[in-house]
Amino acid sequence: MFRNAPQIPTVLFIVLTICVTSFSMMAAQAEKVVIAHRGASGYLPEHTLAAYSMAHALGADYLEPDLAVSKDGVLICLHDLTLNATTNVKDIFPDRARKNDKWYAVDFTLAELKQLRVVERMSHRFPRETQLFQIPTLEEMILLTKGLNASTGRNAGIYPELKDPAFYKKAGFDPSKMLLDMLKKYEYIGPEANLYIQCFIPATLLRLRNEQQVTLPFIQLISDSIVHDGLVTDEGLDKIAAYAQGIGPDKKRIEDDPTLVERAHARGLLVHPYTFRKEQAPQKYESIEEELHTFLWDYNIDGGFTDQPDIMKHAIEALK
Ligand code: G3P
Ligand code: CA
């Protein structure tokens, strides 16, 4: 009656294969990370301590500050060069716009910037008239992250973006050096530091890696613009692999060419695309959950930037 039963070695082989496959899948899943884009910016105004706190509480692995510089040389958490879209600057300093009717952060001291209130960028999210929050400095953001790590026992990292280095160089600042000094002060040191430095400009990251011998982890951001087309070729990825740990492409790049992920992986590069937003899932998907499922499991990304860290966290955990 047991004549058709598999031989013991065959059974062992199958069991071992299942175990190894499951283990590999678990390992791969464990590596997928949630990057809170400008904090939990889907729920609270971007780049506020409140938004970073919520992102931490929702389980984000990394909190993302975009960096700008104040007139007196302090790194602050702000996405734009200007204050128009996300603060009440027009009300507080009506006469301080440049000729183009824009209020530049670099024209204001930190003390002045602290007089402003951050407002929600998107009208359908947190009420714009509710002006509760100040612009944080990078140092405050780091202190908050480290404090929450200590009080919760959950070790979230940071994912700072060097924005517009050429603009700030012209204004007399070196944001890269300012960032490195701050990271050193708070003991983000070496390749194992719990952070990634991200930038759209390859020359900025190359300079840090090759001229200043910085060993911190880097992510090369890749926009959807044709000026970055060269970065997603095999040759472009070879070059990136020489100085960065991963790429942060606009997610459209992966939709257009899903081989980008495996070609990056083949070179040892992580893939962290941006930006997953509940309200802006492409029409081909019924929901952000479906979009995330496709990117995480079909395209096999290693994590991504999202305005709703809880949704991506659930999407990753759902298939563990
Ligand atoms: O840094 C990744 C992603 O945030 C890039 O886009 O414009 O939101 O900084 P942006
Ligand atoms: Ca960013």
Side-chain angles (χ1 to χ4, degrees):
M1 73 185 280
F2 297 109
R3 217 167 44 195
N4 292 330
Q7 297 298 301
I8 287 179
T10 310
V11 172
L12 266 177
F13 176 77
I14 292 168
V15 169
L16 271 173
T17 304
I18 290 169
C19 287
V20 168
T21 308
S22 308
F23 182 76
S24 319
M25 282 181 68
M26 282 169 65
Q29 285 167 13
E31 289 162 11
K32 295 186 191 296
V33 296
V34 177
I35 305 152
H37 183 244
R38 312 181 195 175
S41 57
Y43 306 118
L44 282 159
E46 66 186 47
H47 293 314
T48 58
L49 293 181
Y52 295 130
S53 302
M54 185 168 185
H56 194 289
L58 292 178
D61 298 291
Y62 294 91
L63 313 180
E64 189 217 17
D66 293 316
L67 298 177
V69 184
S70 70
K71 187 177 182 178
D72 47 347
V74 180
L75 282 176
I76 57 170
C77 303
L78 189 76
H79 178 271
D80 302 349
L81 285 174
T82 60
L83 297 156
N84 298 43
T86 57
T87 76
N88 61 347
V89 68
K90 292 177 191 174
D91 301 332
I92 308 301
F93 297 106
D95 306 323
R96 296 276 295 277
R98 293 191 187 181
K99 284 184 185 144
N100 61 3
D101 203 30
K102 291 185 174 170
W103 283 254
Y104 285 76
V106 75
D107 294 339
F108 295 83
T109 64
L110 180 63
E112 290 171 334
L113 292 168
K114 286 289 186 184
Q115 293 177 46
L116 306 180
R117 289 291 176 268
V118 178
V119 299
E120 172 57 55
R121 181 189 293 272
M122 297 193 194
S123 56
H124 60 282
R125 289 182 170 175
F126 194 87
R128 275 185 68 85
E129 63 276 16
T130 310
Q131 298 180 358
L132 295 172
F133 311 108
Q134 287 182 313
I135 296 174
T137 64
L138 173 64
E139 184 160 25
E140 290 166 343
M141 185 272 176
I142 290 175
L143 284 168
L144 176 81
T145 306
K146 293 216 165 220
L148 286 169
N149 286 348
S151 62
T152 65
R154 218 179 60 72
N155 195 23
I158 61 172
Y159 211 122
E161 181 181 349
L162 287 164
K163 284 249 178 237
D164 308 294
F167 174 90
Y168 286 111
K169 189 175 175 198
K170 215 169 157 189
F173 296 109
D174 182 351
S176 302
K177 181 177 182 319
M178 294 160 72
L179 172 61
L180 293 177
D181 289 348
M182 187 63 69
L183 295 178
K184 193 171 171 193
K185 178 175 177 183
Y186 288 100
E187 298 178 340
Y188 290 97
I189 295 166
E192 302 304 321
N194 195 12
L195 94 163
Y196 290 99
I197 295 177
Q198 44 161 341
C199 189
F200 278 108
I201 316 294
T204 298
L205 295 177
L206 271 166
R207 199 173 310 116
L208 290 177
R209 186 68 86 218
N210 295 335
E211 292 176 24
Q212 300 182 32
Q213 315 291 316
V214 175
T215 57
L216 293 162
F218 292 169
I219 294 289
Q220 175 63 59
L221 296 175
I222 301 175
S223 74
D224 196 34
S225 154
I226 53 168
V227 300
H228 274 176
D229 281 356
L231 296 180
V232 296
T233 62
D234 286 349
E235 295 73 24
L237 292 173
D238 285 342
K239 286 183 187 163
I240 293 172
Y243 64 85
Q245 277 56 54
I247 57 172
D250 186 312
K251 62 185 181 172
K252 287 197 275 299
R253 290 270 183 194
I254 296 173
E255 292 279 23
D256 291 346
D257 176 11
T259 73
L260 176 58
V261 180
E262 65 186 66
R263 290 188 294 113
H265 285 169
R267 290 161 174 81
L269 291 166
L270 296 165
V271 182
H272 294 165
Y274 65 89
T275 300
F276 295 94
R277 293 190 172 103
K278 187 174 151 187
E279 313 91 326
Q280 292 176 2
Q283 275 192 337
K284 65 187 274 195
Y285 300 110
E286 280 189 6
S287 63
I288 185 178
E289 285 83 2
E290 187 187 337
E291 182 189 21
L292 284 168
H293 190 281
T294 303
F295 273 80
L296 288 164
W297 309 113
D298 298 344
Y299 298 155
N300 196 25
I301 62 170
D302 302 289
F305 294 81
T306 179
D307 290 2
Q308 286 95 5
D310 52 335
I311 297 177
M312 186 180 277
K313 191 84 183 167
H314 291 153
I316 292 170
E317 286 178 349
L319 288 178
K320 275 185 183 171

